[in-house]
Amino acid sequence: MSSSKPMKLDESHDILQDRAQRVFDSYNIQEAESDEEFWAAAWLRAECHCEHQTSARYVESTKKKFAEEEFVAVKRRQLGKYGHSIKSLCFMAIRRESLHNNILQEHHGTLLENVIGTLDITVRQLMHGEAFPGDITRSSLSVGVSALQRPHRYGYIANMCVTKTSRNKGIASSLVQVAIEAGKDWGLKEIYVHVYPSNIAGQRLYIKSGFQMVQTNFNQTKPEDVQLLRLVL
């Protein structure tokens, strides 16, 4: 992406046809599939990433760079070509008032203006010797042949963000529930998520959704940086 301007969908572009969607009171949740949708998700994540940045001089360039990098990353995750990802879904929450006859039309504004939340759920595989994501307490030499033959796969939630004006309205909780449904459909047994200790609202959200804290020093070098939560399906 060479431009920081939000993309617009053509008036004829049907974003809901032949696609699974979850309908809520004031918004729908669906999977991102097109470049326009991936860019809208990336831009929203860039805005959330930069919302506490104090220097207005650099915020636009920082936002643009973050969005461009995330756009590439989210597309690579969809293809299973990013890190330990095997496959991934990017979910978007879109205002329902922006939808007319199942078409998000240009006169309703850009797609970016109507996307109010996003979340990724990715299928990953534990590295040799890991008991859970980020575990560095076990040596890969301890992994037996049977473990190598039956790699353990798990779900991982990341990139949760909701626009400032849409927070505290249940959107984040809905996105998490949709991600959990996807994990069940994939036959996963566990879903993990990392949360910063300072993110009290995030911790409450996931605990309310059934996640429990993993009580172990999974990150020995910086144990204060993130906390790992797990949901057993």
Side-chain angles (χ1 to χ4, degrees), residues 62-109:
T62 301
K63 191 186 300 182
K64 177 183 176 182
K65 181 180 179 182
F66 186 99
E68 290 174 342
E69 292 176 349
E70 176 59 21
F71 174 78
V72 174
V74 71
K75 291 192 68 176
R76 287 179 61 83
R77 283 192 291 270
Q78 300 296 306
L79 298 173
K81 296 180 178 181
Y82 190 90
H84 306 309
S85 301
I86 298 173
K87 60 181 176 179
S88 179
L89 290 178
C90 172
F91 286 111
M92 312 167 64
I94 303 178
R95 291 189 184 94
R96 290 193 66 193
E97 60 264 29
S98 69
L99 303 172
H100 178 67
N101 293 330
N102 286 346
I103 297 177
L104 181 61
Q105 297 186 11
E106 191 169 359
H107 68 268
H108 287 297

Side-chain angles (χ1 to χ4, degrees), residues 26-223:
S26 59
Y27 56 92
N28 290 355
I29 294 179
Q30 64 189 52
E31 301 169 21
E33 293 182 350
S34 70
D35 281 359
E36 292 93 337
E37 293 162 357
F38 289 135
W39 176 249
W43 189 260
L44 175 56
R45 292 168 185 179
E47 290 196 321
C48 291
H49 176 77
C50 297
E51 67 181 31
H52 299 300
Q53 187 168 325
T54 56
S55 176
R57 178 180 178 183
Y58 300 108
V59 65
E60 286 304 316
S61 60
T62 301
K63 191 186 300 182
K64 177 183 176 182
K65 181 180 179 182
F66 186 99
E68 290 174 342
E69 292 176 349
E70 176 59 21
F71 174 78
V72 174
V74 71
K75 291 192 68 176
R76 287 179 61 83
R77 283 192 291 270
Q78 300 296 306
L79 298 173
K81 296 180 178 181
Y82 190 90
H84 306 309
S85 301
I86 298 173
K87 60 181 176 179
S88 179
L89 290 178
C90 172
F91 286 111
M92 312 167 64
I94 303 178
R95 291 189 184 94
R96 290 193 66 193
E97 60 264 29
S98 69
L99 303 172
H100 178 67
N101 293 330
N102 286 346
I103 297 177
L104 181 61
Q105 297 186 11
E106 191 169 359
H107 68 268
H108 287 297
T110 65
L111 176 62
L112 172 66
E113 292 168 349
N114 293 298
V115 174
I116 54 179
T118 74
L119 170 149
D120 290 344
I121 179 167
T122 303
V123 177
R124 296 184 177 182
Q125 187 168 298
L126 289 177
M127 299 291 289
H128 296 165
E130 286 184 331
F132 42 81
D135 177 25
I136 59 175
T137 61
R138 298 173 61 190
S139 169
S140 61
L141 297 177
S142 65
V143 180
V145 174
S146 59
L148 296 177
Q149 292 175 340
R150 297 192 300 274
H152 180 74
R153 296 184 176 185
Y154 63 92
Y156 186 79
I157 288 176
N159 299 313
M160 160 73 78
C161 62
V162 176
T163 59
K164 272 188 174 182
T165 56
S166 300
R167 292 172 187 170
N168 300 313
K169 297 180 180 179
I171 296 170
S173 179
S174 297
L175 284 165
V176 171
Q177 292 305 315
V178 170
I180 291 172
E181 292 174 12
K184 291 179 178 178
D185 290 343
W186 286 337
L188 301 176
K189 303 300 182 183
E190 297 172 320
I191 298 177
Y192 289 89
V193 63
H194 281 109
V195 182
Y196 285 101
S198 59
N199 186 359
I200 304 301
Q203 293 180 39
R204 289 174 178 170
L205 165 68
Y206 290 111
I207 290 173
K208 185 178 180 181
S209 300
F211 286 76
Q212 295 182 339
M213 198 74 67
V214 174
Q215 299 296 330
T216 182
N217 57 336
F218 60 92
N219 189 338
Q220 292 179 325
T221 56
K222 295 182 179 180

